[in-house]
Amino acid sequence: MDAHNYSDPIPFLGGIPMTLTPAKTLQSSLARTIVQRTRGRTHGPITRLMSPSDFGEILKPFVFLDLFDHEGAPFDGPLHPHSGIATLTYVAEGTISFIDPDNVRGTLSAGGVEWMQAGRGMWHGGGLEKAGRTRGFQLWIALPPELESGPAESIYQAREEVQQEGPARVLLGSYGSASSAIVSPSPINYFAIRLKAGERWRYKPPMGHTVLWTAVASGTVSVPDELRSGDLAAFESSSEAVEFEARTDAEFVLGSAVPHKYDLVLGSHSVHTSPAALRDAQENLSAIRSRLVQEGRL
C-alpha cells in the first residue's frame, strides 16, 4: 500500500498551508531545542505533516511525511508512478496490501515495512487488506544524484524481520546492536519507538546527523517541550542528543540524517535534484505507463 492512495486530493506541490509554531523559549540548557513544530493538514484519514514546501526543505533528505489512520472497509488502490525518491511505509496497526512493479501482490501486517526506491521511475499500488483500523506513517526520502536515475527496487519486511534495540524498532539505518537490512540511500536513521508512561529514552545521533525530527502517533511525550499525538517537531541543527519521557503510553517515529545538499526539483509524485533528471524520469514513467496499458494493467 502507498499512503498516497488515501491522500491524492492533497496537492503534492501546491504549498500546503501549515501551522508552523515557534518552539517555547524556556528550555533546559542541556536540551536540544525544537525550532519548529506543526500538526500538519488533515484530509480524511491522512494528515500531511511534512512536504517540500515547508518542513521538507529544512529536514531534507526527509521531504514528505504522512500519518495515516483509516477505519473502514478494505479497498484496492490504483497503480501510480514515482521517481527520484524512496518511500518507507510503516504499519503500526492493521494490515495493508501491495502490488509491486512486477505485479507481485502481498500483504503486510502491523510492525511490517514496505520500502520502495523509485530511481528513474516505477509504478506500484496497494490498499487495505482487511476491514477495521489501519494506522502508520509513510515517509518520502530524496535520493542523491547517483541513485535518482538508477534502477527501481521494492523490499517488504514482516514484523519479525525488523530488528529492535530497547524500545526502538530500526526501520532504516542502525541503533545499538540492531540494524535494518535495507540499504539506506544516504546516512539516515529512522526508528519507531514505543514507551510506557514514565519511561525515558535518550537518542544520541551519529556523527554528522545534524537533521533531527520526531512525529507522535499516539500518547504524549516530553522532550522537554510536550508533544502529543499528531505533532511533528523539528530540532535545531546540531549533533546533540535528545531525551524523551513518556507522559502517557506513547508511540512516535524519529528520523536523523546527514543533510541532503541538493535542490528539491518537484514533479507530480516525484522529487529530483535537477530539471534534467526530472525530465528524463518523466519520459521513462510515460514509457512504463504505455507498457502497462498494453498489458491491461491500467
Side-chain angles (χ1 to χ4, degrees):
M1 188 197 88
D2 188 314
H4 291 293
N5 292 325
Y6 293 145
S7 59
D8 285 343
I10 301 179
F12 286 95
L13 308 178
I16 298 170
M18 292 282 193
T19 303
L20 305 181
T21 306
K24 295 178 182 178
T25 57
L26 297 177
Q27 296 278 352
S28 163
S29 61
L30 299 178
R32 186 165 174 176
T33 305
I34 294 174
V35 292
Q36 293 282 6
R37 56 193 294 171
T38 184
R39 295 187 61 79
R41 180 72 178 268
T42 299
H43 185 97
I46 291 289
T47 299
R48 174 66 50 80
L49 292 171
M50 182 193 311
S51 68
S53 59
D54 43 72
F55 278 76
E57 182 58 42
I58 63 173
L59 293 176
K60 61 186 183 182
F62 308 105
V63 291
F64 279 102
L65 181 68
D66 285 345
L67 170 62
F68 57 91
D69 190 342
H70 175 88
E71 189 158 10
F75 66 87
D76 288 324
L79 291 175
H80 56 277
H82 290 292
S83 69
I85 52 92
T87 66
L88 193 151
T89 304
Y90 169 67
V91 187
E93 180 180 349
T95 304
I96 66 171
S97 61
F98 61 82
I99 308 170
D100 79 3
D102 296 320
N103 205 28
V104 174
R105 298 168 183 261
T107 60
L108 280 175
S109 299
V113 167
E114 177 191 12
W115 170 260
M116 183 279 296
Q117 188 164 304
R120 189 169 173 246
M122 68 179 291
W123 289 65
H124 73 163
L128 293 187
E129 176 69 13
K130 299 177 181 179
R133 191 179 185 192
T134 302
R135 299 185 299 115
F137 287 93
Q138 185 176 73
L139 175 68
W140 285 36
I141 297 169
L143 297 177
E146 63 269 21
L147 296 178
E148 67 177 328
S149 298
E153 69 171 10
S154 297
I155 298 173
Y156 307 93
Q157 294 182 318
R159 177 184 180 86
E160 58 271 18
E161 297 175 282
V162 180
Q163 295 186 10
Q164 184 165 342
E165 173 84 7
R169 309 196 75 231
V170 178
L171 310 181
L172 198 63
S174 62
Y175 177 64
S177 62
S179 62
S180 172
I182 299 168
V183 178
S184 177
S186 58
I188 291 171
N189 280 343
Y190 181 43
F191 310 143
I193 299 101
R194 291 189 177 185
L195 297 177
K196 295 290 187 181
E199 289 183 338
R200 293 187 178 188
W201 179 71
R202 183 177 185 271
Y203 176 61
K204 172 65 175 176
M207 186 69 65
H209 281 223
T210 56
V211 173
L212 179 65
W213 59 270
T214 190
V216 183
S218 65
T220 303
V221 296
S222 168
V223 287
D225 284 352
E226 184 176 280
L227 299 174
R228 56 192 175 90
S229 178
D231 283 341
L232 180 145
F235 293 89
E236 64 181 325
S237 177
S238 80
S239 296
E240 296 302 314
V242 61
E243 183 170 306
F244 295 82
E245 180 178 359
R247 299 294 180 85
T248 66
D249 290 357
E251 300 173 275
F252 56 97
V253 291
L254 173 145
S256 73
V258 172
H260 182 76
K261 61 184 179 180
Y262 307 98
D263 292 336
L264 302 180
V265 180
L266 310 178
S268 179
H269 303 270
S270 301
V271 179
H272 285 272
T273 66
S274 70
L278 175 60
R279 287 193 299 269
D280 177 67
Q282 288 175 327
E283 292 175 1
N284 186 47
L285 288 171
S286 294
I288 295 172
R289 184 184 188 281
S290 296
R291 175 173 58 80
L292 293 173
V293 168
Q294 291 177 349
E295 295 173 353
R297 295 176 58 192
L298 284 179

